[in-house]
Amino acid sequence: SGSMDSCLMIWSMRPQIRAYRFVGHKDAVMCVQFSPSGHLVASGSRDKTVRLWVPSVKGQSAVFKAHTGTVRSVNFSSDGQSLVTASDDKTIKVWTVHRQKFLFSLSQHINWVRCARFSPDGRLIVSASDDKTVKVWDKTSRECIHSFCEHGGFMNHVDFHPSGTCIAAAGTDNTVKVWDIRMNRLLQHYQGNAVVNSLSFHPSGNYLITASNDSTLKILDLLEGRLLYTLHGHQGPATCVAFSRAGDLFASGGSDEQVMVWKTNFDAADYGDVLKTQKSGTSVDGTRHTLSEMDCGVHLKKTKTQNSDRNHEQQEETSLANTLEHIMGQLDVLTQTVSILEQRLTLTEDKLKECLENQQKIIQNKTS
């Protein structure tokens, strides 16, 4: 978690383990995210820098001056190799993680950019801005391929559906909108009673959770197109919310200086069962809509034999993915250590040069 107190906190889910407090930023921390491997944490700050931290007791970090304005969003690509940042300087920037090397900038927004996210396959980037637009970018061509301008207010947050075919955006006009980015059409529209600050898709793709200025968290059922739960816990605006990778938990933060961890009551075994070929329902604002399998990239139920074969394939894929993730994690740590050592060597060299220059000046003064 990041805070206005300029610090990061890494919390353990085990009560007996103390939290880590990381100090380094010179101003409020606006955004934080774990790398996919969990071996790095990226943070963006009002001090205009981005830091990459190793989440250990030492809390070492590498810092790079990322923008000329407040950094409001950091997001790792799914392979952990790239980082996208968004800033009040109206730009979105993409970096390599291992060398913290700047790659390119996207700069068609005409106001603060509050959020930028990679698509699940890493080929697209979506951004939300105070210019009242949500833009979808092609990472390869670096071109904006579509702008959604339907919101009445500023854009606070945007994210991709796990399928990569839809996006959801939260706005200061109290709405959440879900668009299909293949056909560039509005799928669902939810009207709330307060500014929506953050949102997160459940890994199954069936649910969306939001955090609002009225201190509530709301869970939306995307298949039924309706509000499922309204959760009360924070004593002020709920500023951020995110599902865990497995979807069994979600965390929220608020201006009441509290970080809360919640347990979902969705039955994981039923994730596949609740997916239907086609569902229709009424959204919160009363708008009728229809969601098909194509809309949100959901999969149909299969026979037991097919499921068994698929489960075996998934287990093999998961095992390979876990091995690769572990390797990537070790590379993260090694690269981060090398980067920190390089910074320290540079500092040492600078100090040695300064000492030599001072000695030369002393010798010259004595000679004269």
Side-chain angles (χ1 to χ4, degrees), residues 202-264:
H202 188 267
S204 69
N206 299 339
Y207 309 100
L208 183 71
I209 191 167
T210 65
S212 301
N213 268 1
D214 62 2
S215 79
T216 66
L217 307 176
K218 294 182 185 294
I219 296 179
L220 309 172
D221 186 326
L222 297 176
L223 293 180
E224 295 286 351
R226 64 187 178 90
L227 175 64
L228 203 58
Y229 304 113
T230 297
L231 306 173
H232 299 268
H234 289 286
Q235 300 303 310
T239 53
C240 54
V241 66
F243 276 110
S244 64
R245 195 156 296 159
D248 55 334
L249 301 169
F250 57 94
S252 61
S255 60
D256 57 0
E257 305 174 11
Q258 299 291 318
V259 175
M260 296 185 178
V261 178
W262 310 69
K263 186 173 177 60
T264 61

